[in-house]
Amino acid sequence: MPGLIRGVARTAVVAGTATAVSNRVTRRQQGRWAAQQAYEAPPVQQASQAEPPPAPAASDMPSKIEQLKQLGELKDQGVLTEAEFEEQKRTILGS
C-alpha cells in the first residue's frame, strides 16, 4: 500500500509541475505576441489630423477647471511641451 501512495503522490507532483511550466510558457508567449503586435501596429494619427472630440456640456465646468490645473502642473514639471499644453487645452475647452 505505501508504494501505491508514493506512486500517486509522484504522479501528482509531476502533473502539477507540468501544468505550472505549461502555464508559464503560455504567459511568456502571449507577452511576446502582445509586444510584437504593439511594435507592428500602424502609427497613431497625429492629433492635428484627427477630428476634435465633441464639445462637452457646459455643466461640467468644474471638471474642465480641474483638468486645466492638472495640465498646468504637467507643463510646469516639464512633462508637456508648450505646443502639447496648448493642444490639450483647446481639446478640453472645445475650441
Side-chain angles (χ1 to χ4, degrees), residues 56-69 92-94:
S59 64
D60 63 326
M61 188 56 75
S63 171
K64 289 181 181 181
I65 292 172
E66 184 61 35
Q67 289 176 343
L68 290 172
K69 286 180 183 178
I92 290 171
L93 295 176

Side-chain angles (χ1 to χ4, degrees), residues 7-73:
V8 170
R10 184 178 301 137
T11 302
V13 168
V14 169
T17 303
T19 302
V21 169
S22 174
N23 289 340
R24 181 170 185 255
V25 169
T26 301
R27 282 192 304 271
R28 287 181 65 199
Q29 285 177 339
Q30 288 174 346
R32 286 180 182 167
W33 292 336
Q36 183 179 8
Q37 287 175 349
Y39 179 74
E40 294 174 353
V44 178
Q45 283 186 335
Q46 295 288 336
S48 60
Q49 296 172 351
E51 294 182 24
S59 64
D60 63 326
M61 188 56 75
S63 171
K64 289 181 181 181
I65 292 172
E66 184 61 35
Q67 289 176 343
L68 290 172
K69 286 180 183 178
Q70 290 174 352
L71 274 178
E73 290 173 5

